[in-house]
Amino acid sequence: MEYRIGNGYDVHPLEDGLPFVLGGVRIPFRKGSVAHSDGDALIHALCDALLGALALGDIGRLFPESSDLYKGIDSRILLRESYRMVVQKGYTLCNADITVLLQEPKIFPYEERMRTTLAKDLQCRKDMISIKATTTEKLGYVGRGEGVSAYATVLLKTKE
Ligand code: MG
């Protein structure tokens, strides 16, 4: 059996009046992500971790902002496509551990739904996906509510 580890990181600015989508779940909030896609920083970090584990590049390269194809796209489509590439290489997910940095709102009430949603897209059990959140104690752009960032780590394995 072979193992590969990957990490991913993403940031999106937050502005008033935009939809806020995180982990594939729409979160009611006065602000939302500024992005070419739906701006789901959590999923983007997760995609980059999956792709990075197998040195397949990153989502910016595979799904370029210059293409109208990806304008406003549901990031779950990018996640399913990233995972399809992982499976095609003969690997499956062992687990994913994700940390979201966000001053507000609290995302704890949405974590279960996010994990269920991601587990569906990654064809895995919910207990293979961990989502944690922290504020930055009001420091920096996250602390001022100007942006959201996310880190993801994944472990992949071959079947034998
Ligand atoms: Mg992004």
Side-chain angles (χ1 to χ4, degrees), residues 9-12 34-35 37 39-41 43-45 59 65 75:
Y9 172 64
D10 194 39
V11 181
H12 281 277
V34 181
S37 66
D40 193 326
I43 287 188
H44 294 176
I59 57 168
E65 291 197 358
S75 292

Side-chain angles (χ1 to χ4, degrees), residues 4 6 46-56 62 78-94 122-123 154-159:
R4 301 290 289 251
L46 182 55
C47 287
D48 270 357
L50 290 166
L51 296 168
L54 295 173
L56 293 168
L62 294 170
L78 308 182
L79 178 61
R80 290 194 289 264
E81 179 58 18
S82 300
Y83 194 59
R84 190 192 62 76
M85 293 171 69
V86 164
V87 171
Q88 202 171 38
K89 288 270 180 192
Y91 285 81
T92 56
L93 182 73
C94 290
L122 298 174
Q123 302 150 38
V154 301
L155 185 67
L156 307 179
K157 65 176 179 197
T158 53
K159 286 203 181 75

Side-chain angles (χ1 to χ4, degrees), residues 4-110:
R4 301 290 289 251
I5 192 166
N7 77 85
Y9 172 64
D10 194 39
V11 181
H12 281 277
L14 293 173
E15 281 185 8
D16 287 340
L18 294 171
F20 189 35
V21 182
L22 209 56
V25 174
R26 175 81 188 265
I27 295 174
F29 187 47
R30 66 180 188 281
K31 292 181 178 184
S33 292
V34 181
H36 185 71
S37 66
D38 66 4
D40 193 326
L42 188 160
I43 287 188
H44 294 176
L46 182 55
C47 287
D48 270 357
L50 290 166
L51 296 168
L54 295 173
L56 293 168
D58 59 61
I59 57 168
R61 220 188 303 168
L62 294 170
F63 314 110
E65 291 197 358
S66 54
S67 168
D68 275 349
L69 211 60
Y70 306 114
K71 197 164 193 279
I73 197 169
D74 179 346
S75 292
R76 290 182 65 190
I77 295 170
L78 308 182
L79 178 61
R80 290 194 289 264
E81 179 58 18
S82 300
Y83 194 59
R84 190 192 62 76
M85 293 171 69
V86 164
V87 171
Q88 202 171 38
K89 288 270 180 192
Y91 285 81
T92 56
L93 182 73
C94 290
N95 73 303
D97 187 20
I98 301 158
T99 304
V100 175
L101 279 66
L102 187 65
Q103 192 61 41
E104 57 169 352
K106 291 268 175 264
I107 63 163
F108 176 72
Y110 307 98

